[in-house]
Amino acid sequence: MSLLRARGLQRHFGGIAAVDGVDFDLEKGEIHGLIGPNGAGKTTFVSLLSGRIAPQEGRITLEGEDITALPAHARVRRGLGYTFQITAIFPGLSVFDNVALAVQGGRGRGDLKALVARALAQVGLEALRDEEAGTLSYGHLRLLELAMGLALQPKVLILDEPTQGLAAGEIAGFIQLVRGLTPEVSVLLIEHNMAVVMELAQRITVLNFGRVLAQGSPAEIRANKAVQEAYLGA
Ligand SMILES: Nc1ncnc2c1ncn2[C@@H]1O[C@H](COP(=O)(O)OP(=O)(O)OP(=O)(O)O)[C@@H](O)[C@H]1O
């Protein structure tokens, strides 16, 4: 049984089929890349998974349970984390308190201080725990967002454009970090930086015009003619 499963997902906006009958499986412990040209439907698909918008057709299950009708916060409590869209950083609060607030607003199970400390250690921000979030560099802010998501102990973590705006050195560190999260956390990675996807993902799903164009290993996706054409035509 796959951890997160979508069947026949559909979402139209007026005449535009943003997501048009997508089947998708995230297996336990994997890093799964989601790519596609601009407007392919990636953001809409992820919004359907996280519960930010509702599908017109189709079903989503998490560990075999139907979550299609659950609101976003209930999905977070069940272990579906969507770090970069649902968390808000308070610049006047410390790094530690920002993570603590995220835990209290989310699933909030277990010892709060221990959860926060563990999440900060996972992303390497322990030394900055007492700094005001507003004083952090952009790269550190992205790590703080990740810590806020991790502190909720997700089973699935959806990372939407996590390396956008990061410097090359920061991207290398980020790749190591994400790899270290698995197999405990399974990751769906939406990423425009193809080198990052190819290096991190065990499997890749390619969307084009709201449909699954291809699915396979990085090597298979790289060699796929339809994928090459979709990107050249974009
Ligand atoms: N709220 C909306 N109202 C109308 N059309 C929308 C809406 N959201 C998305 N679309 C359209 O649906 C299609 C898919 O958009 P989506 O943002 O999901 O693609 P994407 O793959 O995430 O693109 P990008 O890589 O540029 O972020 C596009 O044609 C877009 O214009």
Side-chain angles (χ1 to χ4, degrees), residues 18-57:
V19 170
D20 195 15
V22 169
D23 293 342
F24 173 81
D25 288 281
L26 181 73
E27 305 299 340
K28 204 166 181 337
E30 78 170 333
I31 300 176
H32 195 127
L34 181 68
I35 63 172
N38 288 335
K42 303 179 295 293
T43 304
T44 305
F45 177 65
V46 164
S47 298
L48 293 171
L49 291 180
S50 67
R52 239 157 30 104
I53 59 173
Q56 282 139 344
E57 299 280 346

Side-chain angles (χ1 to χ4, degrees), residues 171-205:
I171 290 177
F174 175 82
I175 287 174
Q176 291 294 88
L177 201 171
V178 173
R179 210 174 262 141
L181 299 178
T182 61
E184 198 184 328
V185 182
S186 311
V187 176
L188 175 57
L189 175 70
I190 297 94
E191 180 60 72
H192 274 116
N193 185 330
M194 211 54 81
V196 172
V197 184
M198 292 293 168
E199 197 171 334
L200 268 178
Q202 285 99 46
R203 285 198 304 151
I204 295 173
T205 294

Side-chain angles (χ1 to χ4, degrees), residues 58-70 75 78:
R59 252 179 107 221
I60 304 163
T61 59
L62 180 64
E63 295 183 301
E65 280 189 55
D66 196 322
I67 60 165
T68 318
L70 287 185
R75 297 184 198 200
R78 284 180 189 228

Side-chain angles (χ1 to χ4, degrees), residues 132-218:
E132 270 186 23
T135 66
L136 297 184
S137 68
Y138 180 77
H140 284 152
L141 279 175
R142 301 304 304 254
L143 291 175
L144 173 55
E145 285 178 318
L146 187 53
M148 289 161 76
L150 286 171
L152 292 169
Q153 300 175 284
K155 293 169 186 149
V156 175
L157 192 58
I158 301 174
L159 300 176
D160 196 357
E161 297 287 340
T163 66
Q164 201 174 38
L166 295 187
E170 291 173 325
I171 290 177
F174 175 82
I175 287 174
Q176 291 294 88
L177 201 171
V178 173
R179 210 174 262 141
L181 299 178
T182 61
E184 198 184 328
V185 182
S186 311
V187 176
L188 175 57
L189 175 70
I190 297 94
E191 180 60 72
H192 274 116
N193 185 330
M194 211 54 81
V196 172
V197 184
M198 292 293 168
E199 197 171 334
L200 268 178
Q202 285 99 46
R203 285 198 304 151
I204 295 173
T205 294
V206 187
L207 289 184
N208 196 26
F209 298 116
R211 297 187 174 192
V212 175
L213 178 67
Q215 206 160 55
S217 68

